[in-house]
Amino acid sequence: MARMDRLMRLMDTLRRLPQPVTAARLSEETGVSLRQLYRDIATLRAGGALIDGAAGVGYTLTEDPVLPPQSFSRLEIEALMLAQSGLDQIGDETLKKAGRNAMARIIATLPDRQARQAMHTVMRSWRQPDKRPPVTVDLDLLREACWEEFSLVITYRDLQERTTTREIWPMGLSYSETSLLLLAHCRLRQDYRHFHVSRIASLAPGTESFRPNRVGLLRDYIQQRGYDRNRSPRRGEVG
């Protein structure tokens, strides 16, 4: 786990758990050794975090009173909670957890009245379950390839049930209630394609890097297709 991700997870855990929280509980929740945990506590304190307590006693995080609290209108709070509720409906487990952690971080910085509003929002999203085919490949690797701009080799079964192995440049994921689509530049077809992630049988890191070409590729795609976020891909764009 990257150092910054580890420190952010520790801060999130300190905000989320009843305090004081023991080092053993923090170690269990964050998945690091006690020795590493003590180092991370020291690093956060050196960076300005107000963490009281010690090993064997428990730790308490005090939000810095010098910093102004986050402030949102009631409607803005509703919008944030609705977005989180929608993510819980369509996201995979990694995204759901990230969304919940982000929301907990936001709520922890709200004044008491607004924090209570966040726990008593009116709007919720809902969808019928089991409308989207299951995904069997590693979505964390897929997202990493999009962010880090390296190619993937995939085994793919298209809508005509033909199976091919090809190298692609993954550019972005599109979530909906019925499908999860991957926009990529297919090196086999030398064109842009939308792949149903549920139809990818396997994926592995490829040999090519398309950094820093992603922005240019997306611009070309938008110009070629005539971008409309509400339309579905045309038949020739899929697979």
Side-chain angles (χ1 to χ4, degrees):
M1 185 190 306
R3 177 173 178 271
M4 185 55 64
D5 290 343
R6 194 178 67 245
L7 295 175
M8 292 295 291
R9 176 178 292 186
L10 177 55
M11 286 291 288
D12 290 339
T13 305
L14 282 166
R15 289 187 175 106
R16 177 169 49 84
L17 294 179
Q19 299 183 14
V21 54
T22 65
R25 181 70 187 279
L26 288 171
S27 174
E28 178 184 356
E29 290 285 331
T30 57
V32 302
S33 67
L34 283 173
R35 186 176 181 181
Q36 183 62 62
L37 177 73
Y38 297 144
R39 291 196 188 114
D40 290 345
I41 291 287
T43 299
L44 290 174
R45 283 172 167 167
L50 302 179
I51 302 174
D52 297 324
V57 178
Y59 294 96
T60 299
L61 173 67
T62 302
E63 298 292 344
D64 193 340
V66 176
L67 298 176
Q70 296 275 9
S71 183
F72 298 98
S73 70
R74 187 166 63 187
L75 189 59
E76 288 171 336
I77 291 173
E78 289 280 1
L80 288 170
M81 297 304 291
L82 183 62
Q84 173 59 49
S85 179
L87 179 61
D88 280 340
Q89 296 293 329
I90 67 172
D92 59 89
E93 288 305 318
T94 302
L95 277 181
K96 291 178 187 179
K97 184 175 181 180
R100 288 191 291 266
N101 287 341
M103 191 57 64
R105 191 181 307 153
I106 291 173
I107 292 174
T109 64
L110 293 175
D112 288 345
R113 179 179 61 83
Q114 292 183 336
R116 289 194 297 271
Q117 289 175 349
M119 306 308 294
H120 186 60
T121 53
V122 174
M123 294 180 285
R124 289 288 188 273
S125 68
W126 178 86
R127 71 177 179 91
Q128 293 180 344
D130 301 325
K131 294 179 66 176
R132 197 166 60 193
V135 172
T136 60
V137 294
D138 185 355
L139 284 177
D140 289 341
L141 174 59
L142 188 50
R143 275 191 288 264
E144 182 184 4
C146 292
W147 279 106
E148 299 300 326
E149 298 165 357
F150 61 82
S151 66
L152 292 171
V153 176
I154 65 171
T155 301
Y156 185 72
R157 179 171 53 87
D158 67 18
L159 298 178
Q160 287 73 47
E161 305 301 328
R162 297 171 300 200
T163 299
T164 57
T165 298
R166 59 181 88 183
E167 193 161 14
I168 61 171
W169 290 352
M171 296 159 57
L173 290 163
S174 176
Y175 286 79
S176 77
E177 291 187 351
T178 57
S179 65
L180 174 57
L181 294 178
L182 168 67
L183 171 62
H185 191 275
C186 177
R187 311 308 292 154
L188 176 66
R189 306 299 184 197
Q190 286 296 303
D191 201 0
Y192 299 96
R193 290 290 187 270
H194 287 88
F195 295 97
H196 290 271
V197 179
S198 61
R199 288 178 167 268
I200 300 177
S202 66
L203 60 84
T207 60
E208 299 178 342
S209 170
F210 58 101
R211 178 174 290 180
N213 298 324
R214 181 175 178 272
V215 172
L217 289 167
L218 285 171
R219 186 182 300 116
D220 290 344
Y221 172 78
I222 291 169
Q223 291 175 348
Q224 289 181 24
R225 299 306 194 265
Y227 183 64
D228 180 352
R229 70 176 61 193
N230 295 316
R231 75 168 177 84
S232 299
R234 295 188 293 266
R235 183 179 181 87
E237 297 175 355
V238 180

